[in-house]
């Protein structure tokens, strides 16, 4: 059970990351060696928990600080200078960064991926369990938080915002697509009608399709 003190629940992740970094702290690594260790080992430690839970921002910040300290560390004792912000380091290499993960963004992307699986595989066990509890007569994209939700459900809805912002409907027969609310127009700006048609607020796209002329 995850209570109000969520940061303490995820302290085990910070401990694992700290132990991994500490075990390599006194070894000599080139910049390439540090990069491989961070990307292949350290960043993989919280990946499983991040695919299920929303990790508190404070925990993500602490992990990023440990990784940044390890990256900029040298043989000399004392405080080391961080020559670039983590926002710059976490950008793709083609944009001038190092390709390190921003842990909060990575966490949200993994939860969005889980939401996409629920949407695409409604017959899976996890999708059926969540549907029975939270959205019995609705689609996952229209599901609400509900009363007394679990922390897993809260986390999935947090990741769903990213999924909804970058996806749009493939029309088909249009029976499940709201004209005013859903993203279904193939335009990169809003994906919705710019001028509201003279239809009821709950109108579906199927009402706009003239099957006789198709």
């Amino acid at each position: 059970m995850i209570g109000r003190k969520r940061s303490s629940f995820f302290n085990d992740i910070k401990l694992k990351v700290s132990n991994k970094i500490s075990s390599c702290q006194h070894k000599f690594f080139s910049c390439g060696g540090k990069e491989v260790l961070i990307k292949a080992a350290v960043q993989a430690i919280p990946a499983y928990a991040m695919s299920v839970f929303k990790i508190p921002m404070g925990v993500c910040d602490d992990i990023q600080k440990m990784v940044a300290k390890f990256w900029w560390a040298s043989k000399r004792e004392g405080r080391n200078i961080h020559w670039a912000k983590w926002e710059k380091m976490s950008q793709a290499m083609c944009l001038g960064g190092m390709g390190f993960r921003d842990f909060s963004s990575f966490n949200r992307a993994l939860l969005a991926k889980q939401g996409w699986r629920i949407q695409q595989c409604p017959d899976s066990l996890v999708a059926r369990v969540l549907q029975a509890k939270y959205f019995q007569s609705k689609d996952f994209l229209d599901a609400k938080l509900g009363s007394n939700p679990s922390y897993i459900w809260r986390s999935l809805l947090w990741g769903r915002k990213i999924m909804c912002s970058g996806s749009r409907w493939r029309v088909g027969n249009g029976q499940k697509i709201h004209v005013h609310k859903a993203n279904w127009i193939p335009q990169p700006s809003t994906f919705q009608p710019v001028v509201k048609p003279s239809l009821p607020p709950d109108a579906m796209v199927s009402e706009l399709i003239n099957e006789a002329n198709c």
Side-chain angles (χ1 to χ4, degrees), residues 49-93:
M50 284 183 172
S51 65
V52 181
F53 302 105
K54 176 186 177 183
I55 307 299
M57 185 64 69
V59 175
C60 293
D61 290 340
D62 290 342
I63 295 175
Q64 288 180 179
K65 288 177 182 178
M66 287 188 286
V67 174
K69 184 178 179 181
F70 172 71
W71 172 256
W72 295 111
S74 63
K75 284 188 173 182
R76 292 176 296 179
E77 297 293 333
R79 187 174 181 179
N80 296 282
I81 299 175
H82 293 207
W83 294 101
K85 293 182 178 181
W86 188 260
E87 290 79 4
K88 181 65 176 178
M89 300 287 290
S90 60
Q91 289 182 353
M93 288 187 174

Side-chain angles (χ1 to χ4, degrees), residues 137-148:
S137 59
K138 295 182 179 179
D139 191 80
F140 172 71
L141 297 178
D142 300 323
K144 304 298 182 182
L145 185 61
S147 59
N148 194 24

Side-chain angles (χ1 to χ4, degrees), residues 11-205:
N11 277 338
D12 186 54
I13 299 175
K14 288 198 302 183
L15 182 61
K16 290 180 179 179
V17 172
S18 179
N19 291 339
K20 186 65 178 180
I21 292 177
S22 298
S23 65
C24 305
Q25 195 77 47
H26 302 290
K27 299 178 181 179
F28 177 76
F29 284 101
S30 63
C31 290
K34 286 185 177 181
E35 179 184 355
V36 171
L37 180 65
I38 291 172
K39 291 181 177 180
V42 177
Q43 292 184 156
I45 292 173
Y48 180 78
M50 284 183 172
S51 65
V52 181
F53 302 105
K54 176 186 177 183
I55 307 299
M57 185 64 69
V59 175
C60 293
D61 290 340
D62 290 342
I63 295 175
Q64 288 180 179
K65 288 177 182 178
M66 287 188 286
V67 174
K69 184 178 179 181
F70 172 71
W71 172 256
W72 295 111
S74 63
K75 284 188 173 182
R76 292 176 296 179
E77 297 293 333
R79 187 174 181 179
N80 296 282
I81 299 175
H82 293 207
W83 294 101
K85 293 182 178 181
W86 188 260
E87 290 79 4
K88 181 65 176 178
M89 300 287 290
S90 60
Q91 289 182 353
M93 288 187 174
C94 61
L95 299 177
M98 288 297 300
F100 295 142
R101 288 173 181 164
D102 179 274
F103 286 95
S104 180
S105 300
F106 180 63
N107 184 192
R108 197 166 194 176
L110 288 178
L111 290 170
K113 187 176 181 180
Q114 294 288 11
W116 181 254
R117 288 175 178 172
I118 293 172
Q119 179 68 17
Q120 294 297 309
C121 304
D123 294 329
S124 63
L125 178 59
V126 63
R128 285 184 290 163
V129 170
L130 292 173
Q131 183 179 16
K133 183 171 177 60
Y134 296 110
F135 55 103
Q136 296 181 3
S137 59
K138 295 182 179 179
D139 191 80
F140 172 71
L141 297 178
D142 300 323
K144 304 298 182 182
L145 185 61
S147 59
N148 194 24
S150 67
Y151 190 62
I152 293 177
W153 181 244
R154 290 178 181 271
S155 302
L156 288 172
L157 294 191
W158 179 65
R160 187 185 64 177
K161 296 178 181 179
I162 296 295
M163 186 183 74
C164 293
S165 64
S167 61
R168 67 176 184 265
W169 282 89
R170 181 179 296 172
V171 175
N173 57 22
Q175 294 180 357
K176 295 183 178 180
I177 308 173
H178 290 274
V179 174
H180 303 289
K181 302 176 183 178
N183 297 337
W184 62 281
I185 301 294
Q187 297 176 351
S189 55
T190 62
F191 302 115
Q192 296 179 2
V194 177
V195 179
K196 300 295 183 181
S198 56
L199 292 171
D202 57 347
M204 310 301 287
V205 174

